Amino acid sequence: MEPEEYHGKNGVLDAVNEIPGAQSRYNNTTDRSDMDRLGNKQELKRSFRLISIFSFMCVVMSTWVFVINASTSGLAAGGTGGFIAVYIGSSFAYFTVVLSLAEMASIAPTAGGQAGQTNSVHQIQSLTGRTVSLDVRVCPSPGAEIHEAGWLLTLSWLCGVTSGMFLTGQMVQGAILITNETFNAQPYQVWCLVFAFAASGLFLNTVGARYLALMEVFVAVFLVLGYVVNIIVLWVMSPKNSTSEVFGSFDNGNGWSSTGFGILTAQTAALYLILGSDGAAHMAEETQDASVNVPRGMISSYLIGTTSGLVMVITFCFCFTTDDLSSATGFAFMEIYRTATGSNGATLALTAILIILTFFSATNFVASASRQLYAFARDGGLPFSAQIAKVSSRLNIPVLACIIAFAFVVLISLIALGSSVAFFAIISLQLIALFFTYVVAIGTLIYRRLRGPPLPEHRWSLGRAGLTTNIFAFMYGLFALAFIVLPSTPTVTGATMNWGPVMFAGVMIFALLYYFAGGHKTYLGPVKLVKDEGGWAR
């Protein structure tokens, strides 16, 4: 493929100068070759480099931030020693999932994430240099299982946006209660705050999209500074539990039949803290040299995030007491801040750091979720796909996909007005749907490695460790799913029931009905159009 040319998804040979801003967009031969090979047209501007995609992922994960504001359920389930052990074990086990997804991102650097990558790995037979040698007759159409994975992956990222924005709104309401405990907090106030934050996230991802890559670097610097401030305050100023209390507390807080099993149920909370590194894959079509930089960004951000998170988990456990759970703010960390500093003003300042970083994490979730929406719609997997997949020629982003992410957050957050149980079922659904797509994607890698043909050549590879890593990741994904679907306690009531699996089944049924009712006619999949040596063929 000559530098002046670009092969579009529909087999049309497009001149670079006919596409707005293409001269600056197509300055990397490998990226153009990858898009050409995958049968996708480059429509998004590649404004992310390694430092900015790395910063993007660090902000998405913000592990130490979520340790402080979202780990109390894990501490209640397993005690401080139990939660530390589960966090360490989950971090090591989940790393094999990250490695497997990083390799898939190198094989198929597409905004469709593991759903698109699964279909790509399934269909692409071999790759030598820049030429795909493929008999299109052996390239099956993407089946219902890939379509289901696309639906679930899209839903999981939208749920992730919702959880981040809702948590941000809750923290603002809690911050008000720091100085005014007589404030009459109402659910509708949180929803109004969620609306405001979601609208701000929409603005940054549309009007401010051209500055998003640069903004990530500054927010990442703020993330580091906030971490240092919190470590200093908690270690220097906060009262401490003894070492034996912190590392020797293994509790079965939720009353399961055995302490070991009860501690393992804290795994769901631990996974919530370390998820998100695969968000870089959804930004692949906006990342320069994506087949290398996306895997590097995923792995480096995960290692830094989980390591800094472990330090914060241990720090938080030294400062945490069960009395902090009774804080009028609804957040134990706010009570810990107030005890450490003895000042409402300082508590507000430290809380503001967490609010800002949680908001930017959710804003990055909007970016990844909208790109997943865009990619899945581009493949024909959604109703009104043609409209959702449109990219603004002025902003170089899928505006409607961003608006849908905003609308999803606002509408789903309305559930909290009537039932907090129903809302947190949405959060459970995020983890179930995400891990389901992991299992499907990694299972495809295992199948290709065992049954052939060989995986396409790719620039970031697990090499000989690939099969072992994939098998372990696959088994861990099933293991984690078994705990994610459990209710919070063995005594199931309407308030403790985990409604996530019920909603998961509902989404699966709806997606299947849509697929067989007509969706299979429009869903092409990301590699339905491939380049053969003889030209373009469908």
Side-chain angles (χ1 to χ4, degrees):
M1 185 174 64
E2 295 299 323
E4 298 82 27
E5 297 177 339
Y6 174 76
H7 291 280
K9 182 172 182 179
N10 295 318
V12 178
L13 193 63
D14 297 327
V16 167
N17 56 15
E18 293 177 0
I19 304 173
Q23 289 291 352
S24 60
R25 199 175 308 149
Y26 298 106
N27 59 357
N28 187 288
T29 303
T30 303
D31 289 327
R32 294 200 308 274
S33 177
D34 285 336
M35 294 297 289
D36 183 59
R37 171 171 57 90
L38 295 172
N40 288 328
K41 183 176 181 178
Q42 179 72 51
E43 297 180 287
L44 307 176
K45 185 177 181 179
R46 293 188 180 271
S47 55
F48 284 84
R49 299 183 181 182
L50 178 59
I51 184 63
S52 48
I53 197 65
F54 165 74
S55 300
F56 178 92
M57 289 317 307
C58 287
V59 175
V60 164
M61 291 186 67
S62 294
T63 303
W64 73 262
V65 175
F66 290 104
V67 165
I68 294 177
N69 63 23
S71 63
T72 50
S73 62
L75 291 169
T80 53
F83 187 64
I84 291 171
V86 167
Y87 178 91
I88 294 173
S90 298
S91 297
F92 276 105
Y94 185 69
F95 186 45
T96 61
V97 176
V98 174
L99 290 172
S100 299
L101 296 178
E103 185 172 40
M104 293 193 77
S106 184
I107 295 172
T110 168
Q114 54 264 34
Q117 292 155 7
T118 299
N119 195 51
S120 301
V121 170
H122 178 56
Q123 292 194 35
I124 296 176
Q125 303 300 309
S126 64
L127 174 65
T128 304
R130 290 163 49 196
T131 303
V132 174
S133 177
L134 179 109
D135 182 352
V136 295
R137 292 171 298 177
V138 303
C139 196
S141 298
E145 70 280 3
I146 307 298
H147 186 257
E148 291 270 291
W151 271 88
L152 291 171
L153 184 59
T154 302
L155 185 65
S156 66
W157 277 93
L158 290 174
C159 289
V161 178
T162 306
S163 67
M165 292 296 182
F166 192 80
L167 182 59
T168 306
Q170 283 184 313
M171 285 194 292
V172 171
Q173 190 180 64
I176 297 173
L177 288 163
I178 290 175
T179 54
N180 183 12
E181 294 188 3
T182 62
F183 173 69
N184 185 22
Q186 298 294 324
Y188 79 88
Q189 296 164 341
V190 173
W191 183 85
C192 291
L193 289 166
V194 170
F195 184 94
F197 282 118
S200 300
L202 175 64
F203 177 84
L204 290 175
N205 276 282
T206 51
V207 178
R210 67 179 63 184
Y211 307 109
L212 190 62
L214 179 62
M215 183 186 71
E216 299 304 331
V217 178
F218 287 101
V219 178
V221 171
F222 185 70
L223 180 72
V224 173
L225 293 176
Y227 180 74
V228 172
V229 169
N230 272 269
I231 288 292
I232 292 174
V233 168
L234 294 178
W235 274 111
V236 175
M237 304 178 69
S238 177
K240 307 293 189 304
N241 300 316
S242 67
T243 302
S244 59
E245 288 176 320
V246 170
F247 294 101
S249 175
F250 293 87
D251 299 329
N252 183 7
N254 290 332
W256 292 93
S257 57
S258 70
T259 300
F261 188 87
I263 291 172
L264 284 175
T265 62
Q267 187 174 191
T268 301
L271 288 171
Y272 182 76
L273 306 180
I274 61 179
L275 285 175
S277 59
D278 52 310
H282 300 290
M283 307 302 292
E285 294 176 29
E286 295 165 74
T287 303
Q288 298 177 12
D289 209 13
S291 58
V292 171
N293 285 338
V294 168
R296 287 175 177 172
M298 292 172 65
I299 294 169
S300 57
S301 62
Y302 180 82
L303 291 174
I304 291 176
T306 52
T307 302
S308 60
L310 176 60
V311 175
M312 188 58 76
V313 166
I314 296 173
T315 299
F316 193 73
C317 287
F318 267 99
C319 303
F320 171 79
T321 66
T322 54
D323 293 338
D324 296 322
L325 295 173
S326 60
S327 172
T329 65
F331 289 94
F333 76 85
M334 294 185 187
E335 198 61 36
I336 292 173
Y337 282 160
R338 183 151 52 185
T339 301
T341 63
S343 165
N344 285 337
T347 301
L348 283 172
L350 291 168
T351 300
I353 293 174
L354 298 192
I355 291 172
I356 292 170
L357 290 173
T358 305
F359 164 70
F360 277 109
S361 174
T363 297
N364 284 5
F365 261 79
V366 172
S368 291
S370 62
R371 296 336 183 250
Q372 167 58 28
L373 262 169
Y374 153 76
F376 194 40
R378 180 180 59 188
D379 298 333
L382 295 168
F384 310 105
S385 286
Q387 289 74 32
I388 298 173
K390 285 183 178 178
V391 174
S392 168
S393 59
R394 185 172 65 89
L395 299 175
N396 292 115
I397 58 161
V399 174
L400 183 56
C402 293
I403 294 173
I404 290 174
F406 162 77
F408 184 92
V409 172
V410 171
L411 292 175
I412 295 300
S413 295
L414 283 171
I415 295 176
L417 294 176
S419 172
S420 58
V421 174
F423 176 79
F424 287 108
I426 299 290
I427 311 308
S428 175
L429 176 60
Q430 174 193 355
L431 294 175
I432 297 171
L434 201 57
F435 268 84
F436 180 86
T437 63
Y438 292 162
V439 169
V440 171
I442 296 170
T444 304
L445 275 178
I446 295 171
Y447 179 86
R448 284 291 299 268
R449 280 193 155 104
L450 291 175
R451 299 293 300 273
L455 289 170
E457 293 180 8
H458 43 291
R459 301 170 67 200
W460 194 94
S461 173
L462 289 171
R464 295 182 178 179
L467 182 59
T468 303
T469 302
N470 295 159
I471 291 175
F472 185 90
F474 182 83
M475 298 303 295
Y476 176 69
L478 294 176
F479 176 79
L481 270 173
F483 284 92
I484 293 171
V485 300
L486 289 175
S488 58
T489 66
T491 305
V492 180
T493 65
T496 60
M497 173 68 178
N498 183 355
W499 294 98
V502 178
M503 300 177 69
F504 174 80
V507 173
M508 292 277 284
I509 292 171
F510 175 82
L512 276 174
L513 290 175
Y514 174 76
Y515 180 79
F516 288 110
H520 63 284
K521 297 178 182 178
T522 58
Y523 182 53
L524 299 178
V527 206
K528 183 62 177 177
L529 182 66
V530 291
K531 188 178 181 182
D532 196 9
E533 292 175 351
W536 288 90
R538 187 178 293 279

